[in-house]
Amino acid sequence: MKMEVSLAAVEQIIGYTFRNKKLLEEALTHTSDPKVVSYKCLKFIGNAVLGLAISNHLFLTYTFVDPGQLSFVLPMSALRNSLVSPFVMREDDCSVVLYGGSVKAPKILADIVESIAAAVYVDVDFDLKKLWVVAL
């Protein structure tokens, strides 16, 4: 029952209801239990799909910018920072590490953001436009 409550809370936070709740459960499952599927595979695809979504947005939005310079317009760390900023911990919390530039948050938080993005991407049948709507 506890997992269902957690899944519902995450769905409310991101504004998306999963058709396949197992995807979200996997995105939130740590690797410490070798008997269950963890977030690691989703994290891998999430990193790539977020990069593709952002690249696609930049390409379509900044048509006047030289393609070689598009990669400097919005680095991935800025997106990660904006997604994890509500969870930023206190300066004196020694359990946090500097990740992605200026936000102090556990690295696992950025990993889970990527894994949730991948879970959404898979759940929307690999539709990048639908993922972008959820990710905004």
Side-chain angles (χ1 to χ4, degrees), residues 75-88:
M76 282 300 294
S77 62
L79 174 69
R80 286 190 187 110
N81 288 348
S82 70
L83 292 173
V84 301
S85 63
F87 304 98
V88 173

Side-chain angles (χ1 to χ4, degrees), residues 88-94 96 102 104:
V88 173
M89 298 182 168
R90 294 187 331 257
E91 249 334 282
D92 60 344
D93 188 341
C94 62
V96 297
S102 60
K104 288 188 178 213

Side-chain angles (χ1 to χ4, degrees), residues 16-20 23 42 45 49 52 116-132 134:
Y16 177 76
T17 302
F18 280 81
R19 294 177 295 156
N20 182 352
L23 285 168
L42 285 173
I45 196 169
V49 78
L52 177 60
I116 291 172
V120 170
Y121 182 62
V122 173
D123 201 57
V124 297
D125 296 323
F126 305 94
D127 187 324
L128 196 58
K129 288 181 183 179
K130 288 180 183 176
L131 168 68
W132 187 251
V134 175

Side-chain angles (χ1 to χ4, degrees), residues 7 20-27 42:
L7 297 179
N20 182 352
K21 305 280 189 214
K22 283 288 192 193
L23 285 168
L24 181 56
E25 185 175 342
E26 181 180 325
L42 285 173

Side-chain angles (χ1 to χ4, degrees), residues 12-84:
Q12 184 177 11
I13 290 168
I14 66 172
Y16 177 76
T17 302
F18 280 81
R19 294 177 295 156
N20 182 352
K21 305 280 189 214
K22 283 288 192 193
L23 285 168
L24 181 56
E25 185 175 342
E26 181 180 325
L28 299 173
T29 301
H30 193 265
T31 58
S32 59
D33 186 351
K35 296 178 218 151
V36 296
V37 178
S38 73
Y39 70 92
K40 290 282 187 168
C41 287
L42 285 173
K43 176 198 169 307
F44 172 75
I45 196 169
N47 187 322
V49 78
L50 286 173
L52 177 60
I54 291 168
S55 297
N56 196 19
H57 171 73
L58 293 175
F59 176 77
L60 295 172
T61 304
Y62 299 100
T63 56
F64 55 89
V65 176
D66 178 73
Q69 296 196 357
L70 281 178
S71 61
F72 299 107
V73 175
L74 179 63
M76 282 300 294
S77 62
L79 174 69
R80 286 190 187 110
N81 288 348
S82 70
L83 292 173
V84 301

